[in-house]
């Protein structure tokens, strides 16, 4: 069984930064792509960013976070980070990390097989 675990959330003020971490683990599992999604209270889950953990490390970003958030690969193919800068109250949400063995980055949640439990990010005004 593949497990996905997020860490690094918390409460910050508008304009601050946070870095979320995500690690997917499981015997013989190698993530081809990993992504971040978020769900705010009363809202539908939306994509944030995605990265290929294979050759090239291609990335996709939702328009709402371009220029502020950066997704990056960790030391292993199953580890990614989400560096969030210039945080806004609108960024308040539960952030979910997802992993899939396929290699192309995607902002489509349906293309990710394994999901974490989510981590809270709260941005106060």
């Amino acid at each position: 069984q593949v497990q996905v675990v997020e860490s690094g959330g918390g409460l910050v003020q508008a304009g601050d930064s946070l870095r979320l971490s995500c690690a997917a683990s499981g015997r013989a599992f190698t993530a081809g792509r990993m992504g971040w999604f978020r769900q705010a209270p009363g809202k539908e889950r939306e994509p944030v960013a995605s990265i290929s953990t294979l050759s090239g490390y291609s990335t996709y970003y939702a328009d709402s976070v371009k220029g502020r958030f950066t997704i990056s690969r960790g030391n292993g193919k199953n580890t990614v980070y989400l560096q969030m800068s210039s945080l806004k109250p609108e960024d308040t949400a539960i952030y979910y990390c997802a992993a899939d063995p396929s290699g192309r980055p995607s902002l489509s949640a349906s293309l990710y097989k394994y999901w974490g439990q989510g981590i809270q990010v709260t941005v106060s005004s």
Side-chain angles (χ1 to χ4, degrees):
Q1 179 67 28
V2 176
Q3 297 192 39
V4 180
V5 180
E6 307 98 335
S7 62
L11 172 63
V12 298
Q13 295 184 346
D16 285 354
S17 299
L18 272 180
R19 187 178 73 165
L20 304 182
S21 300
C22 175
S25 62
R27 176 174 288 189
F29 175 74
T30 299
R33 58 171 167 252
M34 298 183 72
W36 289 95
F37 300 79
R38 67 185 183 185
Q39 186 167 21
K43 303 291 186 178
E44 296 182 359
R45 183 170 59 183
E46 64 178 1
V48 176
S50 177
I51 188 170
S52 169
T53 58
L54 304 179
S55 179
Y57 312 121
S58 299
T59 58
Y60 288 163
Y61 293 94
D63 289 340
S64 61
V65 305
K66 286 182 178 178
R68 298 189 299 120
F69 291 10
T70 301
I71 188 170
S72 61
R73 177 180 176 272
N75 292 332
K77 296 184 183 298
N78 296 344
T79 303
V80 293
Y81 302 100
L82 184 68
Q83 178 66 48
M84 304 183 292
S85 300
S86 301
L87 283 164
K88 306 174 181 179
E90 306 93 271
D91 295 317
T92 295
I94 297 176
Y95 284 71
Y96 297 90
C97 179
D100 192 87
S102 297
R104 294 186 176 185
S106 175
L107 296 180
S108 177
S110 65
L111 296 182
Y112 290 85
K113 186 175 182 179
Y114 304 105
W115 291 80
Q117 294 298 309
I119 189 166
Q120 180 70 45
V121 172
T122 302
V123 184
S124 63
S125 60

